[in-house]
Amino acid sequence: MTIDMKPDVQIDTNYYKVMGIRQLTEHAFVLSLPKSRFRFVAGQHVSLSIPGDYQSREYSIYSAEDGENLEVLVKEVDGGYFSPKLKHLKVGDMVEVHGPFGKFGLDEKNLNTHKHVFIASGTGLAPFHSMVKSNPELDYQVIHGVRYTSEAYEKDHYDKKRFLLCTSRDPKGDYEGRLTEYLKKADFDKNTCFYLCGNSDMIFDSMEILREKGFERENINVEVYF
């Protein structure tokens, strides 16, 4: 009797099928994929590409460490090459995911002794969403800087008493003005860990403000987007 031996089928675990695209604003959306096949720490990022395309981009993971789906928060860049392609993906399309990468995350040594203040501009909110969802007992505050109230991405996912929105072109935020202007006026407990994520100008300005308030660099964690 002859037994037909077929080779084992090799499945590339880096490929994920798009489960959905959750539109948050005209330009911002959450790309939802199946549950992560790798372990990651809230705050890390992945490299995302479309099969057959030569470019890739890095995005902070938006979902919780044990989330039912692997999600990233994307803002379509006007005139950009990659983000519009992600926006036009359909359910069932494939994307390639590599990672996780990076060491941005909660300060474990001060996890239960300090307040954790997340300072974000725009989609820099993404890693903080993952941190909050992954650590439901965390003592935190989110300070989110945007232009318009509509850009407060899924603010209902946070304790409303712990989320402060700074709007630079809209009087409907919790604070009308730039995020850095709010920081200058704000008082923080000495036992505070800060986490900054977003554009470089906001981060450098915020670091200087916090330094002037007496906070050491060792208690300021940074992830620069651009």
Side-chain angles (χ1 to χ4, degrees):
M1 181 175 66
T2 302
I3 300 177
D4 184 14
M5 300 294 292
K6 295 182 179 180
D8 292 337
V9 177
Q10 298 296 317
I11 300 176
D12 191 331
T13 58
N14 292 321
Y15 285 90
Y16 287 71
K17 187 178 292 186
V18 174
M19 301 291 288
I21 294 181
R22 191 162 72 251
Q23 202 71 36
L24 305 185
T25 68
E26 181 182 356
H27 298 290
F29 58 94
V30 174
L31 183 66
S32 186
L33 309 172
K35 186 176 179 65
S36 169
R37 302 187 192 112
F38 50 81
R39 293 184 63 84
F40 67 89
V41 175
Q44 289 188 298
H45 61 272
V46 293
S47 175
L48 197 63
S49 60
I50 299 172
D53 200 300
Y54 67 94
Q55 289 202 20
S56 64
R57 293 289 186 276
E58 294 182 340
Y59 293 97
S60 290
I61 299 172
Y62 187 69
S63 46
E65 294 170 355
D66 60 353
E68 295 181 2
N69 296 92
L70 176 64
E71 295 187 332
V72 295
L73 173 62
V74 181
K75 184 173 183 180
E76 182 182 12
V77 178
D78 187 28
Y81 174 83
F82 194 74
S83 56
K85 290 193 172 187
L86 291 181
K87 184 178 181 180
H88 289 95
L89 290 172
K90 302 291 190 297
V91 172
D93 286 346
M94 302 296 290
V95 294
E96 189 172 354
V97 179
H98 290 274
F101 304 110
K103 297 181 179 180
F104 189 60
L106 289 171
D107 185 341
E108 292 292 334
K109 69 180 183 299
N110 293 318
L111 190 62
N112 299 315
T113 58
H114 285 53
K115 188 177 185 70
H116 301 267
V117 174
F118 303 133
I119 300 171
S121 60
T123 55
L125 185 68
F128 304 140
H129 182 271
S130 180
M131 291 177 188
V132 169
K133 289 296 185 181
S134 301
N135 300 272
E137 303 301 320
L138 188 68
D139 183 8
Y140 75 91
Q141 181 187 15
V142 174
I143 303 172
H144 189 200
V146 295
R147 293 174 301 172
Y148 303 101
T149 308
S150 60
E151 297 171 300
Y153 307 125
E154 299 189 308
K155 65 178 294 185
D156 59 322
H157 287 198
Y158 309 88
D159 183 331
K160 63 181 180 180
K161 295 179 181 179
R162 297 175 179 270
F163 188 96
L164 188 139
L165 186 68
C166 301
T167 49
S168 60
R169 301 184 187 178
D170 183 342
K172 298 178 182 178
D174 300 305
Y175 176 84
E176 184 181 357
R178 298 176 69 86
L179 180 157
T180 47
E181 293 171 0
Y182 172 79
L183 291 181
K184 291 176 182 178
K185 301 175 182 179
D187 292 321
F188 299 102
D189 187 275
K190 64 178 182 179
N191 290 327
T192 300
C193 291
F194 296 92
Y195 306 80
L196 313 180
C197 187
N199 70 74
S200 57
D201 288 341
M202 181 280 289
I203 286 177
F204 295 143
D205 289 346
S206 297
M207 289 177 67
E208 180 62 21
I209 293 168
L210 294 175
R211 187 190 66 78
E212 291 176 353
K213 288 180 177 290
F215 292 99
E216 300 295 333
R217 180 66 177 86
E218 63 183 19
N219 287 329
I220 303 174
N221 304 279
V222 173
E223 181 87 325
V224 180
Y225 268 21
F226 52 85

